[in-house]
Amino acid sequence: LKRERLGPHDWLSIPVPGGQDWLVVPGLEPETIYQFSVLAQNKLGTGPFSEVVTVNTLVFPISTPEPLVLLTPPRCLTANRTQQGVLLNWILPANHTAPIQHYVMEFRLGERWEVLDDSIPAGETDLLARDLIQEAWYEFRVMAVMDDIISDPSNVVGVSST
């Protein structure tokens, strides 16, 4: 019901779904004082009303907050040597608020990370690293890209190219 249709001391009942101990009350006006009380009911009957709680709603924000952007890293990166090179596999990020656009695979032989491939399609979860330097220790990590945001790197895996 609209607030205008209620008198200054009228109460409006809103049922709470069974088993739930909270309720979001929709349609409240900004900068308005409201009073709330809870009444418990079950198959045995109705209990007393709780103590009345008085609250004052806040002013609506002038601008809407930026939506939460969430992009977790790809998971469980593994590396396996094959006759053709090193096969890298990973699992999709657990959480992301928009579709993944592509992946970036990096490697390092020493201290500095370098890009192996920065355009791995979003539907792919593996990459074959070819033409590696023989007798070297490689480390790999993968990142997801979504809306020009790059995730944190996955776990790092190491493999010998021997």
Side-chain angles (χ1 to χ4, degrees):
L1 293 174
K2 287 276 191 206
R3 204 173 119 247
E4 298 86 49
R5 293 182 20 206
L6 297 173
H9 301 289
D10 287 341
W11 287 83
L12 176 65
S13 293
I14 302 173
V16 177
Q20 194 169 309
D21 60 0
W22 57 272
L23 177 71
V24 174
V25 181
L28 300 180
E29 299 290 326
E31 294 189 276
T32 304
I33 295 173
Y34 289 91
Q35 291 184 317
F36 296 94
S37 182
V38 178
L39 174 70
Q41 292 180 310
N42 64 18
K43 63 183 177 184
L44 300 176
T46 301
F49 278 99
S50 70
E51 214 175 285
V52 174
V53 175
T54 302
V55 296
N56 190 2
T57 55
L58 300 174
V59 176
F60 282 130
I62 294 172
S63 63
T64 57
E66 287 293 317
L68 175 66
V69 176
L70 180 65
L71 177 59
T72 58
R75 301 170 289 153
C76 303
L77 178 62
T78 60
N80 294 296
R81 282 195 331 249
T82 69
Q83 294 292 337
Q84 294 79 30
V86 174
L87 181 60
L88 301 155
N89 295 88
W90 62 92
I91 298 174
L92 300 171
N95 296 301
H96 46 93
T97 54
I100 301 296
Q101 292 170 322
H102 63 276
Y103 293 99
V104 176
M105 181 67 68
E106 293 183 329
F107 74 96
R108 70 179 174 189
L109 288 166
E111 295 296 315
R112 199 170 129 242
W113 287 100
E114 297 183 48
V115 174
L116 177 65
D117 190 339
D118 64 357
S119 59
I120 304 166
E124 300 288 322
T125 56
D126 57 47
L127 176 72
L128 183 62
R130 301 174 187 261
D131 304 321
L132 301 178
I133 298 170
Q134 291 299 314
E135 309 282 329
W137 180 259
Y138 279 85
E139 290 184 311
F140 297 93
R141 67 184 186 182
V142 64
M143 294 159 287
V145 178
M146 169 195 86
D147 291 339
D148 298 322
I149 297 169
I150 299 176
S151 74
D152 287 336
S154 68
N155 59 296
V156 175
V157 294
V159 66
S160 170
S161 61
T162 305

